[in-house]
Amino acid sequence: MAKKLMFQGTSSNVGKSILTTALCRIFYCRGLKTVPFKAQNMALNSYVTRWGDEIGRAQVAQAEAAGIDPIVQMNPVLLKPTGNQSSQVVLMGKPVGVYSAKEYHTHYSLTALDKVKESLDFLDKNFDMIVIEGAGSPAEVNLKANDIVNMRVAKMTNCPVLLIADIDRGGAIASIVGTLELLEPEERDLVKGIVINKFRGDINLLKPALDFIEERTGRKVVGVIPAIDNLDIDEEDSVALESKHTTINREITIAVMQTPKISNFTDFDALAYEPDVAVRFVKPGDAIGEPDMVILPGSKNTLADLKYLEDRGYAEDIKALAKKGVPVFGVCGGYQMLGEKLHDPDGVEGDIPELNGLGLLPTETTMTGTKMTHQVSFNTTKLPFLGIDYSGENLRGYEIHMGDTRGVGTVADCFAITSRSEKPVAVMDGFVNESGLVMGTYIHGILDNDSLRRQILNALRKRKGLEPLAEVFHYFEHKDAAYNRLADIVEKHLDMDIIDKLLEEQA
């Protein structure tokens, strides 16, 4: 039987995912076979396991920190918002339908509870340590009856809970006291300690507040974690985009269109870490400007996001930039938008049956009800995008899409997929237009491949008369170092003796 520790928060975005990631790395470094778990996740940033199952991106980062492959049991329920009050429900890695918030919370969530229990049982039997993450707040009285991710999981596993508050946003003391007051007595008993997160300043000035918290709640403050800037760890919620700032004085500028239903924006993290690149997310109302390349990212609702680009004038701006010779690159939903037409005859994405695309690629896309979810290996031979003439083998990425795109004019193929979900295939993906300046692909994570990313950047440098750079940045090594840095900081500021005692009591 695995030992367990759970992080819950006084609200969303207080640092549950990051602290779970830190503990996964800490226990991994201690030699424990460690696994993260989040019963239910709501995010548009997702990932596909080796076996073709879709899970939340945060659990992937946590698995990487724990030194293991992501598996679907880490996140049995994933909610992907499709509209203002509805979400696609992904159960055990596969979509099972679109539900309104009311339908899900009053009916389906408790049906999904069986899969939550099965997943926990599997992890309990196969790992030494489970680090569990809650969602939002456990004190949302309107949601508690159908909760499957916070106190229901804690009670089901009899797991000690550490309650996290974000002091950087203000109101931390009130949120801690209020959360505990709203819990039922048996729930409150499971909360064994308080963690203050994102602290800036002199810890001595905080001591009276810490004493008050301990006296008022009867719970020990087990850590005050400093605000950690430039953490460089994948984030899954679009709220994280609010904190992404453009690095100035870089030689290459890349504009990513931040559409309302943007998904998998982590596709571009590796670009932002390159020493010569500034990545700028173009938010509603922002001007695109004169970037060296425009990227259209993935989308949970491609037709709605395309209509957004049209309504806001961005579609015309992108076409004008392309006409001037600015390269345009589309991933997944962005790839679909680049074409001449998008068809949705069965209403897969909503009530828009057809839209004209940007017309930058001679392609047409038809939405289908079958969702492709695969990790892929792929090769490319003499890729013509930007004239790089790049060839590479055993490149890695993943597919998450509902739609089929075909060429209707002169295009060049991009990538030869050689395996999907560990099974050999021979499938072509993506197109480059005749000029070599517009490319689209369904493969997420394509820019995580160091050599391909640097070849594209060097082609952009050449267009500006700049000398090429050697391949100096290695993305996965960088991420691994970031997990170690995070773990070192958290371990220094968390009372690990208290945590060890909580774990020993489970023996």
Side-chain angles (χ1 to χ4, degrees):
M1 179 181 292
K3 296 182 179 181
K4 304 170 187 69
L5 182 70
M6 186 173 193
F7 285 114
Q8 294 188 28
T10 57
S11 70
S12 297
N13 203 37
V14 298
K16 296 184 291 292
S17 294
I18 290 297
L19 291 182
T20 299
T21 304
L23 268 292
C24 282
R25 176 51 60 109
I26 289 169
F27 291 128
Y28 164 69
C29 290
R30 290 183 173 188
L32 294 174
K33 189 178 180 183
T34 303
V35 64
F37 178 76
K38 186 167 184 174
Q40 173 188 291
N41 207 342
M42 177 175 279
L44 286 176
N45 258 17
S46 60
Y47 186 80
V48 178
T49 71
R50 287 172 53 192
W51 302 272
D53 300 314
E54 188 178 6
I55 64 173
R57 188 84 195 191
Q59 281 63 63
V60 176
Q62 292 159 2
E64 290 174 348
I68 58 175
D69 280 331
I71 56 177
V72 72
Q73 287 85 358
M74 297 173 181
N75 177 211
V77 184
L78 174 63
L79 307 180
K80 303 189 75 174
T82 58
N84 291 332
Q85 296 183 7
S86 62
S87 294
Q88 182 186 65
V89 177
V90 180
L91 184 64
M92 297 304 290
K94 305 301 179 188
V96 294
V98 175
Y99 292 84
S100 70
K102 181 178 180 181
E103 289 170 335
Y104 179 76
H105 286 294
T106 58
H107 298 292
Y108 197 82
S109 64
L110 293 183
T111 301
L113 183 60
D114 288 340
K115 296 300 181 183
V116 171
K117 293 176 179 176
E118 289 175 15
S119 296
L120 273 169
D121 287 344
F122 175 86
L123 300 180
D124 207 22
K125 293 173 183 175
N126 288 280
F127 291 88
D128 303 323
M129 181 74 212
I130 306 175
V131 186
I132 304 174
E133 178 187 345
S137 162
E140 302 293 346
V141 294
N142 57 315
L143 300 178
K144 283 185 67 174
N146 299 296
D147 164 52
I148 65 169
V149 64
N150 286 311
M151 279 302 173
R152 189 182 295 268
V153 170
K155 289 189 289 185
M156 194 164 60
T157 57
N158 194 31
C159 178
V161 174
L162 298 181
L163 183 66
I164 306 170
D166 175 3
I167 197 168
D168 196 38
R169 66 173 62 183
I173 298 174
S175 67
I176 291 166
V177 174
T179 298
L180 289 170
E181 286 293 326
L182 288 171
L183 295 179
E184 300 297 327
E186 66 272 18
E187 297 170 338
R188 200 177 301 122
D189 288 344
L190 290 170
V191 178
K192 304 300 183 182
I194 308 296
V195 178
I196 305 295
N197 196 25
K198 305 180 188 178
F199 177 69
R200 302 175 190 271
D202 184 348
I203 190 69
N204 294 313
L205 298 178
L206 186 64
K207 192 174 186 310
L210 303 182
D211 293 340
F212 174 84
I213 291 170
E214 293 184 349
E215 182 179 345
R216 178 62 184 261
T217 68
R219 269 68 179 178
K220 179 78 174 173
V221 176
V222 300
V224 178
I225 312 299
I228 308 172
D229 295 322
N230 303 315
L231 195 52
D232 294 353
I233 291 175
D234 288 350
E235 299 183 81
E236 66 182 2
D237 294 323
S238 57
V239 69
L241 288 170
E242 298 173 7
S243 61
K244 288 185 180 288
H245 301 290
T246 302
T247 304
I248 60 174
N249 299 324
R250 295 284 176 87
E251 294 162 308
I252 301 297
T253 300
I254 296 175
V256 179
M257 303 307 299
Q258 187 176 327
T259 54
K261 298 299 179 185
I262 186 174
S263 66
N264 293 79
F265 57 81
T266 50
D267 281 344
F268 318 113
D269 281 356
L271 283 175
Y273 301 139
E274 288 282 4
D276 56 338
V277 178
V279 176
R280 183 169 64 89
F281 284 85
V282 180
K283 301 176 176 64
D286 291 351
I288 300 177
E290 298 286 338
D292 298 301
M293 184 166 70
V294 175
I295 293 179
L296 293 170
S299 169
K300 187 63 191 73
N301 193 315
T302 303
L303 281 90
D305 274 351
L306 177 58
K307 192 170 189 309
Y308 158 83
L309 293 178
E310 291 177 347
D311 292 345
R312 294 296 184 100
Y314 288 126
E316 291 302 317
D317 292 343
I318 294 167
K319 287 188 277 189
L321 287 168
K323 190 173 181 179
K324 290 169 61 175
V326 175
V328 182
F329 176 37
V331 180
C332 200
Y335 169 34
Q336 295 171 339
M337 294 179 201
L338 291 174
E340 295 179 358
K341 281 192 178 293
L342 285 81
H343 308 277
D344 190 10
D346 299 324
V348 172
E349 288 201 340
D351 56 1
I352 304 175
E354 183 177 286
L355 274 181
N356 289 327
L358 297 177
L360 300 179
L361 271 181
T363 59
E364 290 192 10
T365 296
T366 300
M367 297 299 175
T368 61
T370 302
K371 191 171 192 178
M372 298 288 288
T373 56
H374 299 286
Q375 270 195 31
V376 298
S377 295
F378 61 98
N379 303 328
T380 185
T381 303
K382 296 184 180 300
L383 180 68
F385 184 51
L386 295 172
I388 60 178
D389 197 30
Y390 171 80
S391 297
E393 294 185 348
N394 297 317
L395 305 174
R396 301 290 296 179
Y398 59 100
E399 297 175 286
I400 307 174
H401 67 91
M402 300 174 77
D404 179 63
T405 300
R406 60 187 180 88
V408 294
T410 302
V411 288
D413 291 323
C414 292
F415 308 109
I417 297 176
T418 57
S419 75
R420 278 176 165 162
S421 300
E422 304 289 291
K423 297 179 181 178
V425 296
V427 178
M428 299 306 297
D429 168 86
F431 293 116
V432 179
N433 74 344
E434 199 169 8
S435 72
L437 295 178
V438 180
M439 181 174 77
T441 177
Y442 276 120
I443 301 175
H444 291 284
I446 198 163
L447 295 172
D448 294 353
N449 294 280
D450 296 335
S451 60
L452 174 56
R453 183 180 65 253
R454 178 39 61 187
Q455 288 291 320
I456 290 173
L457 294 176
N458 279 343
L460 296 176
R461 292 179 66 84
K462 182 178 179 181
R463 288 166 58 86
K464 300 184 72 172
L466 300 170
E467 290 295 317
L469 294 184
E471 185 183 307
V472 295
F473 176 75
H474 301 285
Y475 184 48
F476 292 103
E477 292 178 12
H478 176 84
K479 286 209 294 183
D480 199 59
Y483 295 136
N484 286 333
R485 173 176 172 249
L486 170 66
D488 288 345
I489 293 171
V490 171
E491 191 167 21
K492 179 180 177 181
H493 292 89
L494 206 58
D495 192 330
M496 294 303 296
D497 289 338
I498 292 178
I499 290 175
D500 288 340
K501 185 177 179 181
L502 291 174
L503 300 180
E504 289 169 6
E505 290 171 354
Q506 298 174 46

